[in-house]
Amino acid sequence: MQRVTIVSSPEAGPLTRRACEELRDFAGRLWAAEVDTVESGPAGLEADAALCIVVGTPEQPHVRDALGNLGAQASPVESGSYALRGKDNVVAVVGADDAGALYGSYELLELLGVRFYLSGESLPRRGPVTVPPCDIDRAPVVRLRGFMPYTDFLTGPSTWDKEDYLRVIDSAARLKLNLFSMHFYTFEPVGQFTFKGQRRTEAFWDTSRTTRWHKRPGRISDFVAGREHFADYLADDTFGARSAIDATAPEERFRLAEADIRAAFAHAKERGMRTTIGIEVTDPPLEFRALVDPGSRYGENGFGICPSSADARELLTGWLTGLITTFPEVDTYTLWQTETGPSRWTAGCTCERCTRFRAEHPLPRYTIDDLLGKVSAQVYDVEDITESAQTFLQWVLLGHDILRELAPDKQVALAGWYIEHLFRDASPYLPEEVVLSSMTEVDPWEAPPLLDHYQGVDRERWLINWWEIDFRMWLPQPKVSAYPPIMAKARRYGIDGIIWQHWRTRTVDDNARYTALVMWQPDLTPDEYYRDVFGVEWGEAAAIEAAEAMRLFERYEQWLCHDLGWQVFTQDWYPPTINQALEFMGVHGAVPPQIVADIEAKLDEIPRIRARLAEVREALRVARTKAVVLRDGDRPGFWEHRVELYQLFIDCLEHVGEAALAYRDATCGDRPTASETQALKRAYEALRTAPVLQLIQKLAERVEDRGDLGTLVNLNNELWSRYRDALDGITRWFTDAAVGGLWTLRILPDGTLRPPVIGPDALRPEGQWS
Ligand SMILES: [Zn+2]
């Protein structure tokens, strides 16, 4: 049997030890070889080993010896950087530091054919030991390379357990990311504390049985399709994080949720990452507002807490103390402006001290162009955002003041939604060590001009960008080609950190891997990227075609989201067009004009949407005909599957849209007349033939991550239930309709009667009419 030896030293740091573990484990998966790890010099080890991998830093003797034997030099300097040198059967992984040794080891594994992704990795089939040619020097072009799994919806980490966090953190480390970031809304069960003798009670993770975001709750046992993926959840008939399902009281909700998050932070530290936790300081827990002295509150119903008040200081001190006590290992505490709380949308407190604060800290009046691109600008009121900026600044200064006392050795950052416009103007008011960070415009094609706000701000700045957005949460969102202009600006302005936000893992694999790579190899083009990742799976001939298919797919994305401005095309629980139309047919009756207008706009574009998706599918099909399948797991098949899913969604959209228009025609009056029954029949037929069930079954065919589980929940709880209600709604109208019209529905085109549907099949759409 071939032998592989991995050599480190007794002085090896924790990340070098991790590197050796990873090399050993992956070597065992790559090759049928005996793999040893040793902590001694390389002398004499090279001779009989098929491969000897020496890992460490330049000053360590075994690395010096190995480089001497190789006749090579390597002296990486920058933190995290590394050099690989090899000849014959020896490879030296030389890190500038402990982290560099780990990242260099991952680079070596990539040279050996491994491809790392957020959701896992792709490996060549097992074979004999190979020794790659290597002479590589690599240093990061972005110092802090971060990721932020984003809690709120069922498609994201709100449903994760500890193990899910650990797995994603391991994957992120393999992508050479070194900053793990979490943000928590005030309504989430992280950040328990005591204020005036009371503990927090009003926070929870969403599950398939909760109703936040206007979600429809449902039982797994009622799912029409995909139940087989929820075996672990059937006992409770609920999908969600264990911490949410198992908790029986508010205190326990916090305790269990915080234990998972604490484990995640600890694990990230073990993987060499910096960590940051954030709370929305301008939006304190709802249940504590009533405890605040009425004289310290402002605004309608006293929603606001005066940031100058003693109660505000006491409250925030308690909150931050809770955070520091529960998560002491975190490096940076991030003070966020609220996304959804009232403080973001209103002018500040009118008390004398707050008024004086605003006079002493003037900010310009911003225009919408300062804040957002044209697509997102449709949903924001610039006046509100401008008015709330100083309130945010007040809370940040208060939070910073408290943190300096509680945790003088920790870093403090501020963050918010699209607040980079504040950077230059707010900077003079902020202590110099406060990090500025901001989520950037969700439309990646519109983001680059807004990044100009980072220019010339002389302090640490982080950019928060998106691997996916939540407006099309269950559709694929490939947009690798949108990132280079963002990366170019980030480099030009010397942005210190980039944090990539996401919910799902498998769907964002390419967005994540590409951005992770370009933070080291800024010249890597999207086309080179896709050719590589398809090439290792399908061979070079197919890779050219597949890269072309992805280019078509990404151009489609750009057209849909940017050119048409349909960022909000479908949401996981709230596809604006389909669900609204269904909701009105099922529950509310006549479809309102603005929804009809939206439907008509969508229907107008369906031929083009369909044609473009068909083009993508055809290009992927052609690529597959040229493929020499080199790896197991059918990774490229993921895209083929998701395009098919997408096409089914478009079919559903068309059917539901046509049904809604016909329904509108039929329901102009209080009840359909005989002549309108024909329109009602058209509505029913369009709806009945909508492939809603097939759509859900299609996803159930290929569930790849917890995000897909969340989507299955949403499709069942939201789409399917509304679909059934809509069919029921129409049949209710038939009860009031002319009898003759009703009967036409039962008659099939060939003149025979539609058979009644009974038994288990009654759950199918056909069963709505029997
Ligand atoms: Zn005030």
Side-chain angles (χ1 to χ4, degrees):
M1 196 182 229
Q2 289 183 295
R3 238 160 46 73
V4 173
T5 306
I6 299 159
V7 187
S8 68
S9 91
E11 299 91 55
L15 297 180
T16 304
R17 287 175 195 279
R18 171 67 181 167
C20 294
E21 273 171 34
E22 290 280 80
L23 289 167
R24 186 193 60 212
D25 292 350
F26 278 99
R29 292 168 66 186
L30 287 167
W31 307 312
E34 188 187 318
V35 186
D36 303 316
T37 48
V38 295
E39 287 187 358
S40 61
L45 283 170
E46 307 94 327
D48 60 338
L51 175 61
C52 178
I53 305 171
V54 178
V55 189
T57 47
E59 75 285 356
Q60 290 171 342
H62 70 298
V63 172
R64 274 209 312 266
D65 285 359
L67 287 173
N69 292 344
L70 288 168
Q73 289 192 326
S75 46
V77 179
E78 206 174 322
S79 174
S81 64
Y82 54 83
L84 303 185
R85 300 286 184 270
K87 202 171 76 181
D88 303 328
N89 66 335
V90 177
V91 172
V93 179
V94 188
D97 49 17
D98 205 26
L102 180 63
Y103 300 146
S105 299
Y106 289 134
E107 176 92 41
L108 174 60
L109 288 169
E110 291 256 351
L111 288 174
L112 292 167
V114 180
R115 291 293 175 270
F116 293 113
Y117 295 95
L118 198 64
S119 71
E121 56 278 335
S122 162
L123 266 71
R125 289 178 181 141
R126 236 162 160 240
V129 175
T130 54
V131 185
C134 51
D135 187 11
I136 288 178
D137 292 90
R138 203 93 71 201
V141 295
V142 178
R143 181 167 62 83
L144 289 171
R145 303 170 301 281
F147 69 113
M148 179 163 67
Y150 199 80
T151 53
D152 50 7
F153 303 138
L154 301 184
T155 35
S158 299
T159 70
W160 291 6
D161 298 323
K162 186 178 91 176
E163 296 69 31
D164 301 298
Y165 280 102
L166 305 197
R167 207 173 301 125
V168 167
I169 288 165
D170 281 346
S171 295
R174 291 169 185 144
L175 289 167
K176 298 184 277 191
L177 303 186
N178 63 352
L179 174 63
F180 173 58
S181 172
M182 296 288 305
H183 153 277
F184 295 103
Y185 288 108
T186 307
F187 50 69
E188 292 175 331
V190 175
Q192 177 60 291
F193 69 101
T194 305
F195 176 62
K196 297 195 174 176
Q198 265 198 38
R199 304 279 281 168
R200 293 181 61 184
T201 52
E202 301 299 312
F204 58 91
W205 292 137
D206 279 292
T207 72
S208 57
R209 301 282 281 278
T210 57
T211 58
R212 187 152 50 203
W213 317 108
H214 309 290
K215 278 182 341 96
R216 285 189 170 195
R219 295 168 186 277
I220 292 168
S221 53
D222 289 337
F223 285 3
V224 68
R227 253 173 308 178
E228 66 276 16
H229 295 290
F230 294 89
D232 295 344
Y233 298 92
L234 280 176
D236 300 285
D237 221 356
T238 305
F239 173 69
R242 287 293 357 149
S243 68
I245 297 169
D246 294 344
T248 55
E251 192 66 29
E252 198 179 15
R253 262 186 230 134
F254 277 94
R255 190 167 51 74
L256 296 178
E258 288 179 339
D260 288 349
I261 303 301
R262 196 164 51 240
F265 280 121
H267 196 69
K269 289 301 267 187
E270 282 173 21
R271 297 291 176 257
M273 295 179 185
R274 279 189 72 84
T275 52
T276 160
I277 190 169
I279 52 168
E280 298 189 347
V281 284
T282 60
D283 187 29
L286 278 175
E287 61 268 45
F288 288 164
R289 282 176 204 270
L291 300 181
V292 172
D293 173 46
S296 301
R297 291 163 65 183
Y298 68 93
E300 205 180 327
N301 303 321
F303 74 83
I305 297 170
C306 164
S308 308
S309 67
D311 272 4
R313 178 172 283 268
E314 184 184 339
L315 199 156
L316 192 52
T317 302
W319 205 357
L320 291 171
T321 303
L323 222 52
I324 289 163
T325 313
T326 311
F327 307 102
E329 65 284 277
V330 167
D331 301 296
T332 308
Y333 297 95
T334 304
L335 311 171
W336 283 77
Q337 183 180 32
T338 180
E339 180 190 18
T340 53
S343 313
R344 179 149 181 232
W345 313 107
T346 46
C349 175
T350 52
C351 84
E352 194 199 318
R353 278 196 289 172
C354 292
T355 307
R356 193 167 62 237
F357 177 90
R358 286 195 295 275
E360 288 168 1
H361 300 78
L363 291 171
R365 305 299 293 181
Y366 297 103
T367 70
I368 200 74
D369 295 337
D370 295 321
L371 272 56
L372 291 161
K374 70 175 166 78
V375 176
S376 302
Q378 298 162 21
V379 294
Y380 286 90
D381 182 338
V382 66
E383 196 67 14
D384 291 343
I385 293 180
T386 296
E387 282 191 330
S388 64
Q390 286 168 305
T391 307
F392 174 49
L393 187 60
Q394 268 183 292
W395 283 98
V396 166
L397 290 171
L398 176 63
H400 174 267
D401 200 33
I402 294 167
L403 282 167
R404 276 294 63 89
E405 212 158 287
L406 294 174
D409 55 330
K410 300 289 187 177
Q411 192 176 41
V412 180
L414 64 78
W417 275 257
Y418 325 123
I419 59 162
E420 55 271 78
H421 61 284
L422 288 177
F423 284 3
R424 204 173 315 154
D425 304 317
S427 208
Y429 308 135
L430 292 161
E432 63 180 356
E433 76 272 17
V434 174
V435 180
L436 303 180
S437 73
S438 174
M439 279 194 200
T440 299
E441 164 62 55
V442 292
D443 181 338
W445 299 276
E446 292 190 8
L450 294 160
L451 299 189
D452 292 344
H453 291 302
Y454 282 80
Q455 194 177 5
V457 180
D458 185 23
R459 64 168 71 217
E460 185 157 348
R461 294 144 304 148
W462 301 347
L463 161 67
I464 305 171
N465 201 261
W466 313 69
W467 279 337
E468 62 178 330
I469 67 158
D470 48 348
F471 297 146
R472 284 166 297 122
M473 186 60 94
W474 53 277
L475 293 176
Q477 303 178 23
K479 51 185 166 199
V480 163
S481 55
Y483 292 123
I486 294 176
M487 291 303 305
K489 285 268 168 96
R491 290 188 69 207
R492 188 179 314 154
Y493 300 143
I495 291 174
D496 304 274
I498 306 182
I499 298 171
W500 302 96
Q501 181 175 346
H502 71 107
W503 289 261
R504 299 172 293 177
T505 55
R506 179 61 184 89
T507 304
V508 304
D509 268 349
D510 286 299
N511 295 346
R513 180 175 160 80
Y514 176 75
T515 50
L517 290 175
V518 294
M519 290 191 287
W520 295 76
Q521 299 160 249
D523 299 330
L524 180 71
T525 67
D527 195 55
E528 287 164 347
Y529 168 81
Y530 277 126
R531 285 194 195 195
D532 173 72
V533 295
F534 279 98
V536 297
E537 308 281 342
W538 275 0
E540 272 175 43
I544 294 167
E545 303 283 345
E548 172 61 19
M550 295 311 290
R551 192 156 45 238
L552 289 172
F553 205 167
E554 297 198 349
R555 275 198 210 125
Y556 163 81
E557 279 287 292
Q558 182 172 358
W559 169 71
L560 182 86
C561 304
H562 183 78
D563 301 349
L564 284 182
W566 288 357
Q567 279 284 359
V568 184
F569 188 51
T570 130
Q571 239 160 322
D572 61 343
W573 79 107
Y574 191 64
T577 306
I578 285 200
N579 268 11
Q580 282 174 333
L582 291 172
E583 177 98 15
F584 275 94
M585 285 187 274
V587 181
H588 310 296
V591 185
Q594 72 271 25
I595 294 178
V596 168
D598 182 36
I599 288 166
E600 283 170 337
K602 297 279 197 300
L603 288 178
D604 279 350
E605 294 297 345
I606 278 183
R608 282 203 281 173
I609 291 174
R610 195 172 265 140
R612 295 185 78 139
L613 288 174
E615 237 184 327
V616 176
R617 187 172 176 176
E618 173 60 14
L620 284 168
R621 191 195 64 76
V622 170
R624 188 175 275 280
T625 62
K626 299 188 177 174
V628 182
V629 177
L630 301 168
R631 297 189 176 194
D632 301 326
D634 189 27
R635 180 161 266 276
F638 174 81
W639 290 116
E640 294 170 290
H641 176 261
R642 293 304 150 117
V643 172
E644 289 168 30
L645 182 79
Y646 208 145
Q647 288 176 317
L648 280 168
F649 169 68
I650 296 304
D651 291 344
C652 289
L653 180 62
E654 184 171 50
H655 280 257
V656 171
E658 282 171 355
L661 296 184
Y663 185 78
R664 186 256 333 251
D665 294 343
T667 58
C668 303
D670 290 342
R671 63 184 58 198
T673 61
S675 63
E676 286 163 344
T677 308
Q678 284 304 319
L680 206 54
K681 182 192 173 195
R682 283 206 315 278
Y684 180 83
E685 289 293 346
L687 212 52
R688 196 184 61 79
T689 50
V692 174
L693 180 62
Q694 292 91 316
L695 174 77
I696 306 174
Q697 286 168 333
K698 172 57 74 177
L699 179 62
E701 276 174 16
R702 190 160 176 159
V703 167
E704 298 241 3
D705 64 6
R706 288 182 75 86
D708 287 345
L709 289 183
T711 298
L712 269 180
V713 170
N714 289 325
L715 292 181
N716 276 286
N717 280 2
E718 315 297 325
L719 183 59
W720 179 253
S721 70
R722 284 194 175 84
Y723 175 64
R724 290 192 56 182
D725 285 351
L727 281 163
D728 286 346
I730 291 179
T731 52
R732 275 198 303 276
W733 277 95
F734 271 101
T735 312
D736 296 334
V739 172
L742 183 145
W743 280 101
T744 62
L745 191 68
R746 293 285 306 277
I747 302 169
L748 293 172
D750 66 359
T752 59
L753 283 182
R754 187 186 307 286
V757 182
I758 53 168
D761 285 350
L763 199 64
R764 300 173 61 82
E766 293 86 339
Q768 299 301 314
W769 188 261
S770 59

